[in-house]
Amino acid sequence: MRQEVVLIKLGGSVITHKEKPMSVNNIAIDRILKALASVKVPIILIHGGGSFGHYWSTKYDMHSKPEKYSSEGIAIVHESMISLNHIIVKSMLKLRMKPYAVPPFSIILDKKPLGKKIFELASMTRDKITPVTYGDIVYRTPHKYSILSGDELMSIISSVIKPSKVIFAVNVNGIYKDPYGDEVIPLIEEKSSVNFSDVKFDVTGGMKRKFREALKISLTGIDVHFVNGLKPERILKALGNKKTEGTVIKGKRSSTRNAR
Ligand code: IPE
């Protein structure tokens, strides 16, 4: 059932300085949160790892493929994500928002959604609470772990609660026509209208992954917006259904089969 909730992912490249390990972009975090604090829409917030989780997962050679990884690496990547999450949560509290940190561990089982718990997140937004979850290293099967990105969490959560809108706040202006140009595609109605290999990617090659998850979400009938999170007024415009620079992947009523 569709819920009056908006899912917003704050990309790691927006909330951290990607090139400098463990460094937050306080200015960007503050500006985005101030913008979000000014709206009445119920929100579930998800954030990425940037120079926190990504930095350590690269150091310990951990990936999205379930494998036996270093237990020290697992502990360190997880702790770095909790630290980043705590920074976001504390900034929200300062702005009198009502954040509630949710480790992905509590809402998934082997990357599958725990439906009841995810419905609880939507239910909490009706009490003016903003659940905040994040990409992390997660347990998959005995002895095997893998990186779960915030982008995957976006589609996992969307598959259960069918939010009214989904917004990816990224560090570029949207999805570009070609990797070397700066022309943003304003509207994508058909997957086939975009050449997958041409999607411009960010420092970690993350844009392709975001695009893949966004397509999955759009195939369940939900509009997916890509906007530049470093310009928070664009997030507000997307929330208010006003035209802004960025890319909208039009939600399509059809089977999700094609997106897999
Ligand atoms: C990363 O989440 C999680 C870890 C590396 C632990 P994302 O993959 O969603 O992070 P960004 O937004 O690309 O930085």
Side-chain angles (χ1 to χ4, degrees), residues 6 18 35 40 57 66 73 96 137 157 179 230 239 250 255 257:
V6 178
K18 265 234 147 129
K40 298 261 179 295
S57 61
R96 297 180 178 276
I137 175 80
I157 297 174
L230 298 167
L239 281 171
K250 203 78 200 131
S255 125
R257 216 177 11 173

Side-chain angles (χ1 to χ4, degrees), residues 78 102-109 133-138 148 153:
H78 182 58
V102 178
F105 183 86
S106 63
I107 53 169
I108 53 151
L109 189 62
T133 187
Y134 46 88
D136 201 354
I137 175 80
V138 291
L148 166 78
L153 270 173

Side-chain angles (χ1 to χ4, degrees), residues 144-162:
K144 295 197 173 171
Y145 295 74
S146 74
I147 297 290
L148 166 78
S149 71
D151 306 320
E152 289 172 284
L153 270 173
M154 291 288 271
S155 64
I156 290 172
I157 297 174
S158 299
S159 72
V160 176
I161 62 170
K162 307 270 182 292

Side-chain angles (χ1 to χ4, degrees), residues 208-224:
K208 256 182 207 170
R209 195 185 51 219
K210 287 177 214 315
F211 186 51
R212 191 178 54 224
E213 297 304 324
L215 278 174
K216 278 189 207 167
I217 299 170
S218 72
L219 286 176
T220 66
I222 302 162
D223 287 352
V224 182

